[in-house]
Every structure is written in C-alpha cells, then in structure tokens.
Amino acid sequence: QVHLVESGGGLVQAGGSLRLSCAASGRTFSSYAMGWFRQAPGKPREFVAAISWTGRNTYYADSMKGRFTISRDNAKNTAYLQMNSLKPEDTAVYYCAADVYSDYDDIRMRPELYDYWGQGTQVTVSS
C-alpha cells in the first residue's frame, strides 16, 4: 500500500516556474518507480515524466523536455517535478503516481500500469 500527497500547485504567469512535491508513505519509497501525469478539462490523462527506483533513469513527454525536471529524494520519501518556462497549455491537474511493480531502474509511461495515485494539485498558467 502506498499513500501519495501532492503539493506545490498554484497560479503562475506564463514563463514562470513551479515545483511540485509528492510525499509518499507506506511501502519502501526506493522500491518503486514514480511518475507525474496531468489532466486538463475535457482531455484524457497525459504522461508528463517518470523516474526509476534510484533516480538514475528519467523520461519525459516530448512537450516537457527541456522545461520540466523530475527528481526524487529517497531519504525524504518525496518526488519532485520542477516546471520552468510554463505555458498556458500546461494548465491542468497534476498527479503523482507509484508504479510498485516496476522492475529495478525501469520506467513505464502508461497510466494503467501505475497502482497508486495522489489526489492531484491544480496548476494554472495565465497568459
């Protein structure tokens, strides 16, 4: 069992930055991959980024490469998503998720493979 709580969302102007945090509890944090997803109104949930058990491997959706950075601190049981150069189209509810069946240092992008989800945090980027 894993419990996830996101924080750090808010309202920011285009070009600004936000840092999202995802605090995990339950199963040993360093034993599973983490992902960030987002969902805008009327759109399906979208993969943003993922990070492997140790943090050695990361992967990003094309539209986030160079702007977003995923990281994790296994000592603090927390994953992060640093978002820079934000655009109005980045407006969405952002979710962190745990892939507890991931292999060591593997990364998966399909949301249906993620077993536990946080409640989401709203990010709004104004133009």
Side-chain angles (χ1 to χ4, degrees), residues 63-81:
S63 62
M64 288 72 167
K65 288 179 181 177
R67 299 191 300 125
F68 291 10
T69 302
I70 189 171
S71 62
R72 66 190 297 161
D73 185 337
N74 286 347
K76 295 183 177 179
N77 294 342
T78 303
Y80 304 96
L81 184 69

Side-chain angles (χ1 to χ4, degrees), residues 95-116:
Y95 300 89
C96 65
D99 181 2
V100 300
Y101 294 104
S102 55
D103 292 330
Y104 179 76
D105 265 358
D106 193 14
I107 294 176
R108 302 192 290 186
M109 293 165 283
R110 291 161 52 194
E112 61 268 28
L113 297 176
Y114 285 73
D115 313 279
Y116 298 96

